[in-house]
Amino acid sequence: MKRDKLKSKKLFTRIATGFLLLALLSSALTGCGGEEKGAEPANSTNSTSTPADTAVTLPFKETVTFRVWDPLMSTALPIMKNYAESELNTELERRLNVRIEYIHPTEGSAKEQFNLMLTSGDIPDFIVGTFGDYPGGREKAFEDGILVDIKNEIPKYAPDLAKIYEAYPDLLMDVETEDGRQFGVPFLKGDESIYTFFGGFLRKDWLTELGLEVPETIDELYTVLKAFKEQKGATAPFTGTVGNIKGMYFTGAWGINQDYFIEDGKVVYGSIDPRFKEYTKTMVKWYKEGLLDPELATNNTKTIDAKITGNQAGATVGNTGSGLGKYLPLMKNKDPEFDLVAMPYPVLNKGDFNPFMAKDGPTVNNGAWNITTACENLPEALAFLNYGYTKEGSMLYNFGIEGVSYTMEDGYPKYTDLVTNNPNGQPIATMGQYYTRAFKDGPFVQDKRYFEQYMALPQQQESLKTWTKYAKQVTQANKNYRGTLTPDEVSQTTTKQNEINTYKDEMFLKWLMGKEDVDATWDKYVEQIKKLGIEDIIQVRQAAYDRFIEKFPQALNPQSFNISDIFEK
């Protein structure tokens, strides 16, 4: 479709009034982070193969320009202000005869800048990210004339991606709407071993000094935090944010999360479940006794970092890359005794498992590249995106340029010191974004060999084993909510849900800080959430879940994915 399609005043009004989004484009932390010279231009026969009557070959005969709305990760800033400056982009342009112009929203202003972009009609060809916060979701964005349905075009112009869908049809549960539409191409994780990268960790040196074991249960963690406070003088034994302690890492010990989940085929809202009451009482007790950071409600990354590295805190939750991978090197010379160890997702009783382990699936939607109606060259756009799903494109996106950012050693692509031990002192996450997409996200299959090198520290490697110990049981429990609300259902529920969220968050803080008693106010709390319409929302969400299962019954028995194998077939 042509750009002038978006110039109509009517469309401007529909788009502008439809937008309340807060974080359309939060970048995927794709495995923990997200970052030449060399090769000859890609051979058209091995980069994109299409039926003769629809062939679009790479490199393009004439330069094709694409404009991309894509958040710039903070880890990239030390070396570039725009992804167009990266060596990866330079090599892509050289190989494929493309020109890529990146539009990066200013951090904290994505909502305003996105709305301005839409109302101006100056919409780029690709929008990177999830439309989860767009009122009505991707379907509404399609109805509003923003997104293009590309499902029927993929076999013609993106045959390598089509081949992956054919081999792993369950991927369609994540990339296709219930009406059978596809609006973009996904960021895929090639191996199940890189799905999980988040969990809790604590000071191993303190545990050793105090003669304590890594805690597995809530009671054991209580004992450890109490010892950190009383014997190590920790002023914030467990640090983080309110969101951290309300997340599934803790609530899952009670078999719930604070949001919607599935139990025996029924939708449950965790924040009014009786188990949430018991969880809350435990957190209140810990807060009152000084085991939780008194600044949970105001903490940010800098204050948390300062407490971890300043011996004020002994435990937190975070990523193995930006957590363990940040603190351990930072403290290596400052405090040689400093050490961290991952702790399992806590449970109430030994032998249980937390059914809400934080893990990605094979697709990460906030790394998807969505195609807009502004794209004038749809066949070329799909051919360009398809490159990431070819063997050659996968190697470039994961490892960069052979001889520059990696070398082959016994068939294994090993990053060079430019990436892993940069002479200018730049961290691997920064250099990885300069040469690759693997340290960010994008339209390609992420290789586990990137992850193995990014998570090079022994503590990081051990953390992945610790956090994924019960991964199979979590998958089989299958308690995560699945389902997409229609635009009408979103309209029915959004106001109610916003009011519920505001009230429940206010009450949780009052309980946590001792301003209200949990037992005395619990029934009133549940009743108020019901008055605000939670039962209506559950009914709508149950219908959406039932529709999803009817269309994708295989979701009840999830498929195993090792997508990287497709390159060996």
Side-chain angles (χ1 to χ4, degrees):
M1 298 184 183
K2 301 298 182 182
R3 232 178 267 277
D4 59 6
K5 176 178 178 180
L6 295 173
K7 297 295 184 180
S8 78
K9 185 174 181 180
K10 180 178 180 181
L11 181 58
F12 289 171
T13 302
R14 289 167 62 196
I15 294 173
T17 57
F19 261 90
L20 299 171
L21 99 155
L22 296 174
L24 169 70
L25 297 166
S26 55
S27 177
L29 184 64
T30 64
C32 304
E35 319 263 71
E36 311 137 8
K37 301 171 185 176
E40 292 300 313
N43 185 313
S44 62
T45 59
N46 63 22
S47 52
T48 300
S49 56
T50 59
D53 60 337
T54 58
V56 177
T57 58
L58 296 175
F60 297 122
K61 293 180 180 179
E62 297 182 1
T63 303
V64 179
T65 298
F66 297 115
R67 300 170 69 237
V68 187
W69 172 281
D70 187 11
L72 181 70
M73 291 186 67
S74 60
T75 46
L77 290 174
I79 199 169
M80 56 185 160
K81 305 304 180 187
N82 191 291
Y83 284 129
E85 302 169 17
S86 71
E87 282 297 316
L88 171 65
N89 190 72
T90 299
E91 183 64 17
L92 267 177
E93 292 186 342
R94 191 186 71 81
R95 285 191 187 189
L96 306 184
N97 195 19
V98 297
R99 183 168 180 264
I100 306 172
E101 299 175 357
Y102 287 92
I103 304 167
H104 300 311
T106 303
E107 187 175 0
S109 301
K111 171 189 173 182
E112 293 80 5
Q113 292 184 34
F114 195 84
N115 282 327
L116 285 173
M117 176 183 67
L118 289 175
T119 54
S120 73
D122 187 20
I123 297 179
D125 302 286
F126 305 119
I127 293 176
V128 181
T130 172
F131 276 75
D133 292 313
Y134 186 98
R138 293 177 300 170
E139 285 281 18
K140 188 63 166 60
F142 172 73
E143 292 178 5
D144 287 344
I146 299 170
L147 296 181
V148 176
D149 179 7
I150 61 173
K151 178 180 180 179
N152 294 330
E153 310 305 315
I154 287 177
K156 293 185 287 186
Y157 303 116
D160 296 280
L161 176 57
K163 179 181 176 182
I164 292 174
Y165 288 161
E166 183 178 352
Y168 295 99
D170 283 8
L171 291 173
L172 296 177
M173 290 189 293
D174 294 319
V175 302
E176 189 169 296
T177 69
E178 291 169 10
D179 291 333
R181 298 189 178 100
Q182 295 176 27
F183 303 118
V185 301
F187 167 50
L188 298 174
K189 294 205 164 191
D191 188 273
E192 291 183 338
S193 65
I194 59 177
Y195 286 3
T196 298
F197 49 85
F198 177 91
F201 50 89
L202 37 70
R203 290 287 295 269
K204 183 179 181 181
D205 52 322
W206 287 5
L207 290 178
T208 301
E209 179 185 339
L210 298 173
L212 297 170
E213 299 293 328
V214 175
E216 296 182 8
T217 68
I218 289 292
D219 287 343
E220 289 173 351
L221 180 55
Y222 171 83
T223 299
V224 166
L225 295 178
K226 197 170 181 65
F228 284 176
K229 179 178 185 293
E230 295 175 351
Q231 299 180 55
K232 294 302 299 180
T235 56
F238 180 93
T239 190
T241 65
V242 173
N244 291 150
I245 66 166
K246 288 181 72 178
M248 61 184 70
Y249 187 80
F250 281 110
T251 58
W254 281 263
I256 62 171
N257 67 35
Q258 63 164 325
D259 207 343
Y260 300 95
F261 63 93
I262 301 299
E263 205 162 63
D264 299 324
K266 299 298 181 184
V267 176
V268 179
Y269 186 58
S271 288
I272 58 173
D273 188 283
R275 291 166 290 185
F276 189 79
K277 176 183 177 182
E278 297 308 311
Y279 146 79
T280 302
K281 290 170 68 175
T282 299
M283 294 298 104
V284 170
K285 171 182 169 67
W286 287 14
Y287 190 86
K288 183 177 181 181
E289 295 184 15
L291 306 185
L292 300 178
D293 191 332
E295 298 177 330
L296 285 174
T298 58
N299 270 338
N300 56 40
T301 300
K302 289 184 178 180
T303 57
I304 293 170
D305 289 352
K307 291 168 184 176
I308 292 290
T309 59
N311 294 324
Q312 298 173 354
T316 190
V317 295
N319 295 322
T320 190
S322 59
L324 291 167
K326 173 170 60 177
Y327 299 128
L328 289 165
L330 186 63
M331 297 298 291
K332 184 177 181 180
N333 296 324
K334 295 181 180 179
D335 181 0
E337 298 299 319
F338 182 96
D339 199 6
L340 297 171
V341 63
M343 54 182 171
Y345 278 68
V347 293
L348 294 183
N349 303 297
K350 279 187 179 292
D352 291 346
F353 68 92
N354 183 322
F356 291 102
M357 182 179 76
K359 62 192 290 286
D360 287 330
T363 64
V364 183
N365 285 330
N366 56 359
W369 283 46
N370 305 284
I371 302 180
T372 75
T373 51
C375 183
E376 298 178 356
N377 305 297
L378 185 58
E380 287 81 4
L382 284 170
F384 164 68
L385 294 175
N386 181 72
Y387 183 68
Y389 307 104
T390 66
K391 189 169 186 177
E392 179 185 289
S394 177
M395 288 299 293
L396 175 63
Y397 285 173
N398 279 288
F399 305 107
I401 304 299
E402 185 172 4
V404 180
S405 56
Y406 80 96
T407 57
M408 293 300 294
E409 297 185 9
D410 297 324
Y412 189 97
K414 184 177 180 180
Y415 293 121
T416 65
D417 283 350
L418 276 176
V419 178
T420 60
N421 189 25
N422 185 261
N424 296 320
Q426 295 294 349
I428 185 173
T430 296
M431 298 312 300
Q433 288 192 67
Y434 189 64
Y435 288 109
T436 80
R437 286 203 199 283
F439 291 73
K440 185 182 181 293
D441 54 43
F444 74 109
V445 180
Q446 192 179 53
D447 195 305
K448 70 175 181 179
R449 294 172 295 182
Y450 127 82
F451 203 60
E452 291 167 352
Q453 296 176 79
Y454 185 28
M455 307 305 157
L457 296 173
Q459 296 95 325
Q460 291 178 300
Q461 296 171 6
E462 192 61 32
S463 74
L464 301 177
K465 296 177 184 177
T466 298
W467 294 334
T468 60
K469 181 177 180 180
Y470 294 104
K472 289 185 178 179
Q473 290 92 327
V474 171
T475 299
Q476 291 167 357
N478 209 11
K479 297 185 77 168
N480 289 321
Y481 179 81
R482 300 293 298 268
T484 303
L485 304 188
T486 67
D488 285 344
E489 289 171 335
V490 170
S491 298
Q492 294 174 37
T493 59
T494 297
T495 300
K496 294 177 182 178
Q497 188 66 65
N498 289 340
E499 292 175 348
I500 288 170
N501 291 343
T502 299
Y503 175 70
K504 75 180 178 69
D505 291 344
E506 289 175 350
M507 284 301 298
F508 186 82
L509 276 178
K510 289 179 180 179
W511 287 330
L512 188 67
M513 297 179 180
K515 296 179 179 179
E516 297 279 2
D517 179 77
V518 180
D519 283 323
T521 59
W522 176 260
D523 290 343
K524 179 182 177 182
Y525 160 81
V526 173
E527 186 59 32
Q528 179 61 23
I529 288 183
K530 288 182 177 179
K531 287 181 180 178
L532 292 173
I534 191 62
E535 291 172 325
D536 293 337
I537 299 175
I538 290 174
Q539 185 176 1
V540 168
R541 284 189 167 269
Q542 184 72 54
Y545 173 76
D546 292 341
R547 289 196 307 268
F548 179 84
I549 295 301
E550 183 178 2
K551 181 175 177 59
F552 299 112
Q554 63 268 38
L556 296 174
N557 295 289
Q559 177 186 14
S560 294
F561 295 92
N562 288 293
I563 302 170
S564 292
D565 290 347
I566 200 77
F567 298 123
E568 307 302 324
K569 295 177 181 178

mmCIF file of all heavy atoms in Angstrom, residues 120-148:
data_model
loop_
_atom_site.group_PDB
_atom_site.id
_atom_site.type_symbol
_atom_site.label_atom_id
_atom_site.label_comp_id
_atom_site.label_asym_id
_atom_site.label_seq_id
_atom_site.Cartn_x
_atom_site.Cartn_y
_atom_site.Cartn_z
ATOM 1 N N SER A 120 0.969 12.404 12.382
ATOM 2 C CA SER A 120 1.612 13.106 11.275
ATOM 3 C C SER A 120 1.460 12.348 9.969
ATOM 4 O O SER A 120 1.594 12.918 8.889
ATOM 5 C CB SER A 120 3.104 13.291 11.575
ATOM 6 O OG SER A 120 3.799 12.056 11.447
ATOM 7 N N GLY A 121 1.196 11.034 10.068
ATOM 8 C CA GLY A 121 1.112 10.204 8.875
ATOM 9 C C GLY A 121 2.456 9.749 8.362
ATOM 10 O O GLY A 121 2.536 8.990 7.394
ATOM 11 N N ASP A 122 3.533 10.178 8.993
ATOM 12 C CA ASP A 122 4.879 9.802 8.561
ATOM 13 C C ASP A 122 5.274 8.512 9.263
ATOM 14 O O ASP A 122 6.112 8.500 10.169
ATOM 15 C CB ASP A 122 5.858 10.934 8.877
ATOM 16 C CG ASP A 122 7.234 10.663 8.300
ATOM 17 O OD1 ASP A 122 7.342 9.844 7.369
ATOM 18 O OD2 ASP A 122 8.205 11.261 8.791
ATOM 19 N N ILE A 123 4.685 7.425 8.828
ATOM 20 C CA ILE A 123 4.861 6.133 9.476
ATOM 21 C C ILE A 123 5.951 5.343 8.760
ATOM 22 O O ILE A 123 5.985 5.288 7.532
ATOM 23 C CB ILE A 123 3.538 5.352 9.477
ATOM 24 C CG1 ILE A 123 2.501 6.117 10.305
ATOM 25 C CG2 ILE A 123 3.719 3.949 10.035
ATOM 26 C CD1 ILE A 123 1.148 5.469 10.352
ATOM 27 N N PRO A 124 6.871 4.708 9.501
ATOM 28 C CA PRO A 124 7.941 3.941 8.872
ATOM 29 C C PRO A 124 7.442 2.617 8.315
ATOM 30 O O PRO A 124 6.293 2.221 8.536
ATOM 31 C CB PRO A 124 8.931 3.730 10.009
ATOM 32 C CG PRO A 124 8.081 3.724 11.234
ATOM 33 C CD PRO A 124 6.984 4.714 10.970
ATOM 34 N N ASP A 125 8.306 1.911 7.614
ATOM 35 C CA ASP A 125 7.945 0.623 7.009
ATOM 36 C C ASP A 125 7.780 -0.470 8.053
ATOM 37 O O ASP A 125 6.918 -1.336 7.927
ATOM 38 C CB ASP A 125 9.030 0.201 6.011
ATOM 39 C CG ASP A 125 9.239 1.228 4.930
ATOM 40 O OD1 ASP A 125 8.368 1.322 4.046
ATOM 41 O OD2 ASP A 125 10.255 1.947 4.966
ATOM 42 N N PHE A 126 8.632 -0.428 9.081
ATOM 43 C CA PHE A 126 8.609 -1.448 10.131
ATOM 44 C C PHE A 126 8.463 -0.788 11.495
ATOM 45 O O PHE A 126 9.049 0.270 11.753
ATOM 46 C CB PHE A 126 9.908 -2.265 10.146
ATOM 47 C CG PHE A 126 10.265 -2.904 8.832
ATOM 48 C CD1 PHE A 126 11.448 -2.582 8.193
ATOM 49 C CD2 PHE A 126 9.428 -3.838 8.236
ATOM 50 C CE1 PHE A 126 11.808 -3.167 6.991
ATOM 51 C CE2 PHE A 126 9.767 -4.427 7.029
ATOM 52 C CZ PHE A 126 10.958 -4.088 6.401
ATOM 53 N N ILE A 127 7.691 -1.426 12.353
ATOM 54 C CA ILE A 127 7.607 -1.026 13.755
ATOM 55 C C ILE A 127 8.020 -2.236 14.579
ATOM 56 O O ILE A 127 7.413 -3.304 14.488
ATOM 57 C CB ILE A 127 6.183 -0.579 14.140
ATOM 58 C CG1 ILE A 127 5.825 0.722 13.419
ATOM 59 C CG2 ILE A 127 6.084 -0.382 15.644
ATOM 60 C CD1 ILE A 127 4.404 1.181 13.664
ATOM 61 N N VAL A 128 9.079 -2.060 15.369
ATOM 62 C CA VAL A 128 9.605 -3.153 16.172
ATOM 63 C C VAL A 128 8.971 -3.105 17.549
ATOM 64 O O VAL A 128 8.998 -2.068 18.212
ATOM 65 C CB VAL A 128 11.138 -3.071 16.290
ATOM 66 C CG1 VAL A 128 11.669 -4.244 17.111
ATOM 67 C CG2 VAL A 128 11.779 -3.054 14.908
ATOM 68 N N GLY A 129 8.376 -4.197 17.967
ATOM 69 C CA GLY A 129 7.819 -4.255 19.308
ATOM 70 C C GLY A 129 6.473 -4.937 19.355
ATOM 71 O O GLY A 129 5.961 -5.437 18.353
ATOM 72 N N THR A 130 5.898 -4.949 20.533
ATOM 73 C CA THR A 130 4.607 -5.569 20.746
ATOM 74 C C THR A 130 3.497 -4.529 20.705
ATOM 75 O O THR A 130 3.704 -3.391 21.124
ATOM 76 C CB THR A 130 4.560 -6.304 22.094
ATOM 77 O OG1 THR A 130 3.222 -6.729 22.349
ATOM 78 C CG2 THR A 130 5.004 -5.422 23.240
ATOM 79 N N PHE A 131 2.349 -4.914 20.220
ATOM 80 C CA PHE A 131 1.182 -4.035 20.237
ATOM 81 C C PHE A 131 0.269 -4.380 21.416
ATOM 82 O O PHE A 131 -0.916 -4.087 21.402
ATOM 83 C CB PHE A 131 0.430 -4.149 18.912
ATOM 84 C CG PHE A 131 0.996 -3.275 17.828
ATOM 85 C CD1 PHE A 131 2.169 -3.623 17.185
ATOM 86 C CD2 PHE A 131 0.375 -2.098 17.460
ATOM 87 C CE1 PHE A 131 2.717 -2.829 16.203
ATOM 88 C CE2 PHE A 131 0.911 -1.284 16.476
ATOM 89 C CZ PHE A 131 2.080 -1.647 15.841
ATOM 90 N N GLY A 132 0.851 -4.979 22.454
ATOM 91 C CA GLY A 132 0.044 -5.374 23.603
ATOM 92 C C GLY A 132 -0.604 -4.224 24.325
ATOM 93 O O GLY A 132 -1.661 -4.390 24.947
ATOM 94 N N ASP A 133 -0.011 -3.031 24.270
ATOM 95 C CA ASP A 133 -0.566 -1.878 24.961
ATOM 96 C C ASP A 133 -1.394 -0.983 24.044
ATOM 97 O O ASP A 133 -1.908 0.040 24.475
ATOM 98 C CB ASP A 133 0.551 -1.058 25.595
ATOM 99 C CG ASP A 133 1.231 -1.797 26.729
ATOM 100 O OD1 ASP A 133 0.511 -2.348 27.576
ATOM 101 O OD2 ASP A 133 2.470 -1.845 26.750
ATOM 102 N N TYR A 134 -1.500 -1.371 22.790
ATOM 103 C CA TYR A 134 -2.356 -0.627 21.862
ATOM 104 C C TYR A 134 -3.801 -1.026 22.142
ATOM 105 O O TYR A 134 -4.123 -2.213 22.141
ATOM 106 C CB TYR A 134 -1.973 -0.982 20.427
ATOM 107 C CG TYR A 134 -2.679 -0.171 19.364
ATOM 108 C CD1 TYR A 134 -2.054 0.926 18.783
ATOM 109 C CD2 TYR A 134 -3.959 -0.496 18.935
ATOM 110 C CE1 TYR A 134 -2.696 1.673 17.809
ATOM 111 C CE2 TYR A 134 -4.613 0.241 17.968
ATOM 112 C CZ TYR A 134 -3.969 1.322 17.403
ATOM 113 O OH TYR A 134 -4.604 2.056 16.440
ATOM 114 N N PRO A 135 -4.684 -0.084 22.415
ATOM 115 C CA PRO A 135 -6.074 -0.451 22.725
ATOM 116 C C PRO A 135 -6.686 -1.295 21.613
ATOM 117 O O PRO A 135 -6.836 -0.843 20.489
ATOM 118 C CB PRO A 135 -6.772 0.905 22.846
ATOM 119 C CG PRO A 135 -5.688 1.854 23.230
ATOM 120 C CD PRO A 135 -4.462 1.375 22.496
ATOM 121 N N GLY A 136 -6.992 -2.537 21.936
ATOM 122 C CA GLY A 136 -7.528 -3.452 20.930
ATOM 123 C C GLY A 136 -6.471 -4.327 20.306
ATOM 124 O O GLY A 136 -6.787 -5.247 19.551
ATOM 125 N N GLY A 137 -5.208 -4.067 20.620
ATOM 126 C CA GLY A 137 -4.126 -4.920 20.153
ATOM 127 C C GLY A 137 -3.864 -4.831 18.666
ATOM 128 O O GLY A 137 -4.256 -3.881 17.984
ATOM 129 N N ARG A 138 -3.196 -5.858 18.144
ATOM 130 C CA ARG A 138 -2.785 -5.848 16.742
ATOM 131 C C ARG A 138 -3.978 -5.825 15.796
ATOM 132 O O ARG A 138 -3.930 -5.205 14.737
ATOM 133 C CB ARG A 138 -1.912 -7.072 16.453
ATOM 134 C CG ARG A 138 -0.567 -7.065 17.162
ATOM 135 C CD ARG A 138 0.207 -8.329 16.902
ATOM 136 N NE ARG A 138 -0.515 -9.504 17.361
ATOM 137 C CZ ARG A 138 -0.158 -10.759 17.093
ATOM 138 N NH1 ARG A 138 0.888 -10.996 16.342
ATOM 139 N NH2 ARG A 138 -0.852 -11.777 17.564
ATOM 140 N N GLU A 139 -5.051 -6.501 16.170
ATOM 141 C CA GLU A 139 -6.240 -6.521 15.297
ATOM 142 C C GLU A 139 -6.806 -5.114 15.129
ATOM 143 O O GLU A 139 -7.213 -4.721 14.035
ATOM 144 C CB GLU A 139 -7.303 -7.463 15.876
ATOM 145 C CG GLU A 139 -7.000 -8.936 15.699
ATOM 146 C CD GLU A 139 -7.314 -9.423 14.294
ATOM 147 O OE1 GLU A 139 -7.444 -8.596 13.367
ATOM 148 O OE2 GLU A 139 -7.427 -10.649 14.110
ATOM 149 N N LYS A 140 -6.828 -4.354 16.219
ATOM 150 C CA LYS A 140 -7.342 -2.990 16.125
ATOM 151 C C LYS A 140 -6.382 -2.117 15.302
ATOM 152 O O LYS A 140 -6.820 -1.263 14.518
ATOM 153 C CB LYS A 140 -7.526 -2.395 17.525
ATOM 154 C CG LYS A 140 -8.236 -1.042 17.525
ATOM 155 C CD LYS A 140 -9.664 -1.171 16.991
ATOM 156 C CE LYS A 140 -10.516 0.043 17.279
ATOM 157 N NZ LYS A 140 -10.020 1.288 16.702
ATOM 158 N N ALA A 141 -5.102 -2.351 15.469
ATOM 159 C CA ALA A 141 -4.124 -1.615 14.661
ATOM 160 C C ALA A 141 -4.306 -1.939 13.180
ATOM 161 O O ALA A 141 -4.144 -1.077 12.314
ATOM 162 C CB ALA A 141 -2.705 -1.953 15.109
ATOM 163 N N PHE A 142 -4.682 -3.174 12.892
ATOM 164 C CA PHE A 142 -4.982 -3.565 11.508
ATOM 165 C C PHE A 142 -6.239 -2.844 11.025
ATOM 166 O O PHE A 142 -6.272 -2.268 9.930
ATOM 167 C CB PHE A 142 -5.164 -5.077 11.445
ATOM 168 C CG PHE A 142 -5.668 -5.590 10.126
ATOM 169 C CD1 PHE A 142 -4.851 -5.621 9.004
ATOM 170 C CD2 PHE A 142 -6.978 -6.053 10.007
ATOM 171 C CE1 PHE A 142 -5.322 -6.102 7.788
ATOM 172 C CE2 PHE A 142 -7.454 -6.528 8.805
ATOM 173 C CZ PHE A 142 -6.623 -6.553 7.689
ATOM 174 N N GLU A 143 -7.283 -2.836 11.853
ATOM 175 C CA GLU A 143 -8.523 -2.156 11.493
ATOM 176 C C GLU A 143 -8.302 -0.650 11.310
ATOM 177 O O GLU A 143 -8.942 -0.017 10.463
ATOM 178 C CB GLU A 143 -9.589 -2.393 12.574
ATOM 179 C CG GLU A 143 -10.084 -3.820 12.660
ATOM 180 C CD GLU A 143 -11.098 -4.002 13.776
ATOM 181 O OE1 GLU A 143 -11.479 -2.981 14.405
ATOM 182 O OE2 GLU A 143 -11.503 -5.151 14.036
ATOM 183 N N ASP A 144 -7.372 -0.096 12.089
ATOM 184 C CA ASP A 144 -7.093 1.336 12.011
ATOM 185 C C ASP A 144 -6.189 1.689 10.833
ATOM 186 O O ASP A 144 -5.821 2.853 10.666
ATOM 187 C CB ASP A 144 -6.444 1.822 13.303
ATOM 188 C CG ASP A 144 -7.427 1.893 14.455
ATOM 189 O OD1 ASP A 144 -8.646 1.853 14.201
ATOM 190 O OD2 ASP A 144 -6.989 1.991 15.611
ATOM 191 N N GLY A 145 -5.827 0.692 10.056
ATOM 192 C CA GLY A 145 -5.023 0.965 8.875
ATOM 193 C C GLY A 145 -3.547 1.141 9.130
ATOM 194 O O GLY A 145 -2.840 1.752 8.334
ATOM 195 N N ILE A 146 -3.049 0.573 10.237
ATOM 196 C CA ILE A 146 -1.634 0.721 10.574
ATOM 197 C C ILE A 146 -0.817 -0.490 10.135
ATOM 198 O O ILE A 146 0.276 -0.342 9.596
ATOM 199 C CB ILE A 146 -1.466 0.945 12.089
ATOM 200 C CG1 ILE A 146 -2.193 2.214 12.520
ATOM 201 C CG2 ILE A 146 0.007 1.019 12.469
ATOM 202 C CD1 ILE A 146 -2.285 2.379 14.014
ATOM 203 N N LEU A 147 -1.355 -1.690 10.362
ATOM 204 C CA LEU A 147 -0.606 -2.913 10.071
ATOM 205 C C LEU A 147 -1.142 -3.625 8.830
ATOM 206 O O LEU A 147 -2.318 -3.487 8.481
ATOM 207 C CB LEU A 147 -0.658 -3.860 11.267
ATOM 208 C CG LEU A 147 0.015 -3.368 12.554
ATOM 209 C CD1 LEU A 147 -0.101 -4.419 13.649
ATOM 210 C CD2 LEU A 147 1.470 -3.005 12.300
ATOM 211 N N VAL A 148 -0.277 -4.413 8.208
ATOM 212 C CA VAL A 148 -0.613 -5.187 7.020
ATOM 213 C C VAL A 148 -0.675 -6.673 7.379
ATOM 214 O O VAL A 148 0.177 -7.170 8.114
ATOM 215 C CB VAL A 148 0.451 -4.981 5.920
ATOM 216 C CG1 VAL A 148 0.150 -5.855 4.710
ATOM 217 C CG2 VAL A 148 0.512 -3.525 5.507
#
